[in-house]
Amino acid sequence: MLPMIFALALSAAPAPQSNAMGGDWVVDLSAKESEPYFKGMSLVLEADGRVTGSFYDSAIEAGRWREARGRTCVSFRTSEGKGPYHTSACLKGGAVEGQTWAEHRNFVFVWNARRATPADRAAPWW
């Protein structure tokens, strides 16, 4: 009986909303409001938990995503050739809140992102 209850509980669990965080995002990396600095981020959340795409002109490596505790979050690594950048971010109310750690550059950068528009994708910084 217990295995059947467990199976029913699993089938009643809501399906992951991976599509909610997938797609193109404009990441605001501005250090000062008076000096806007944006970069594009493209996320593909695969059904098996992998994340692929790109961030800051680099391919996403070893990316994973998960939906738990009412949040959808991603973690991944990118590199610009001198060292790794470790990024984690969560969807919050239609936007993304994240942080990127670059140990070799001795910094953590906290950022926000909004959905990209066709105009964003055509911008020189994309």
Side-chain angles (χ1 to χ4, degrees):
M1 180 73 169
L2 188 56
M4 179 176 249
I5 291 171
F6 183 68
L8 288 173
L10 286 177
S11 66
Q17 299 296 314
S18 63
N19 290 338
M21 198 167 178
D24 292 338
W25 298 88
V26 175
V27 180
D28 184 349
L29 298 166
S30 306
K32 299 177 186 174
E33 270 189 50
S34 61
E35 299 174 21
Y37 183 55
F38 305 116
K39 281 293 189 178
M41 176 173 68
S42 296
L43 299 176
V44 178
L45 281 64
E46 306 287 350
D48 65 0
R50 290 180 302 122
V51 175
T52 58
S54 63
F55 177 49
Y56 204 95
D57 305 322
S58 297
I60 290 175
E61 306 167 1
R64 302 295 298 172
W65 75 272
R66 181 161 179 192
E67 186 174 78
R69 296 185 172 98
R71 300 187 307 168
T72 302
C73 299
V74 298
S75 291
F76 56 82
R77 182 180 67 240
T78 56
S79 177
E80 76 339 10
K82 295 182 178 131
Y85 290 77
H86 301 276
T87 296
S88 60
C90 294
L91 187 64
K92 184 173 182 182
V96 173
E97 296 180 347
Q99 57 277 327
T100 300
W101 171 48
E103 183 177 9
H104 66 289
R105 294 191 57 201
N106 196 31
F107 81 81
V108 171
F109 201 86
V110 178
W111 50 263
N112 295 315
R114 63 171 172 76
R115 283 275 177 205
T117 65
D120 293 322
R121 289 183 201 93
W125 48 263
W126 186 265

